Amino acid sequence: MVRGVWGVDSAQIVTDQLFQCVRTEHGYPKFWGRYLVEVPNVSEGLTRDEITRIRNYGVKVLPIYNAFREATGYASGQVAARNAVFHARRLGIPKNKLLFANIEDFFAVDAAWIAAWVETLYPTGYRPGLYADPTKGDFAAAYCEAVGRNNQVAVQAVIWSAAPRPGTTKEQKAPRYQPAAPPCSANVWAWQYGRDADVCPVDTNLADRRLLDFLY
């Protein structure tokens, strides 16, 4: 199997110091996941200056939307998608790029929310992404139910899997690309295989090379 493309994500702003820490201690990321908005005690929000800094290193930005605490109901999924689009436009992120909804494994989640995220985001020109753990919680069942109702969910959405989690590594020691996937049709193009590195406050990821075309 082809090795995945290596990258990281962080709740903290990417400063020159943080970037150099990652480059020295872990490797040179091809992409960096960052949050579109500030969520108190959870994540610092992206800025245009930060996007410029990341891209000047030759690294692509993977945008994440996490200003929600549960993923249930069609109406709330629509609101989340519209908010994500608003912030992506505010930050100058162009169309045809993925915006990932951050669905933690302890969140309530249902098929209606997932369908709304995809069906609301896709017509805006942005691509719907879903960060989730297919092995814990309600995500896999909800996702497959959404696919059963509308197969375009499987066609249009990209999943960033949070399982399994063997642990953070240096780029050279990354595992083979084998993310967990839902038991139905799914584009699992990214895998967060390690969280909370001991050195540098980042998580480590692998991605299918196709993902890079849809990152900023």
Side-chain angles (χ1 to χ4, degrees):
M1 183 177 286
V2 178
R3 287 177 68 87
V5 176
W6 190 79
V8 299
D9 66 270
S10 70
Q12 292 189 14
I13 289 172
V14 182
T15 60
D16 290 325
Q17 291 87 340
L18 179 55
F19 189 89
Q20 296 304 335
C21 178
V22 169
R23 186 167 76 168
T24 301
E25 300 292 338
H26 298 292
Y28 205 109
K30 299 289 190 300
F31 61 92
W32 199 304
R34 282 286 292 119
Y35 295 92
L36 290 169
V37 294
E38 179 181 357
V39 176
N41 303 315
V42 176
S43 61
E44 297 179 308
L46 257 174
T47 65
R48 284 179 176 256
D49 286 347
E50 184 186 1
I51 289 172
T52 300
R53 182 180 306 116
I54 294 169
R55 287 169 52 81
N56 282 347
Y57 280 116
V59 178
K60 294 205 164 191
V61 177
L62 183 157
I64 309 161
Y65 182 71
N66 68 325
F68 59 97
R69 280 287 153 274
E70 61 177 30
T72 58
Y74 198 90
S76 63
Q78 286 180 308
V79 170
R82 289 174 185 144
N83 287 342
V85 168
F86 170 83
H87 289 292
R89 288 173 176 159
R90 174 180 64 82
L91 291 165
I93 297 169
K95 290 183 178 181
N96 206 36
K97 302 305 177 187
L98 278 157
L99 306 180
F100 281 92
N102 186 84
I103 302 172
E104 297 289 350
D105 58 32
F106 54 87
F107 282 14
V109 53
D110 64 17
W113 195 99
I114 292 170
W117 176 263
V118 175
E119 292 167 4
T120 307
L121 247 179
Y122 195 79
T124 68
Y126 290 100
R127 300 278 181 143
L130 297 160
Y131 165 87
D133 186 336
T135 67
K136 289 175 67 178
D138 302 327
F139 174 77
Y143 170 81
C144 290
E145 183 183 334
V147 170
R149 295 183 190 177
N150 178 5
N151 191 59
Q152 290 305 300
V153 171
V155 174
Q156 296 167 356
V158 169
I159 291 177
W160 175 12
S161 178
R165 201 171 285 154
T168 59
T169 68
K170 294 179 183 292
E171 180 179 6
Q172 294 89 342
K173 297 285 181 68
R176 291 198 329 164
Y177 185 73
Q178 294 179 311
C184 57
S185 179
N187 302 309
V188 185
W189 286 6
W191 175 28
Q192 185 189 71
Y193 70 85
R195 289 185 81 158
D196 303 321
D198 291 337
V199 185
C200 321
V202 297
D203 307 320
T204 54
N205 299 269
L206 290 172
D208 185 304
R209 193 166 292 278
R210 289 174 291 182
L211 183 82
L212 296 180
D213 289 339
F214 300 102
L215 304 182
Y216 183 35

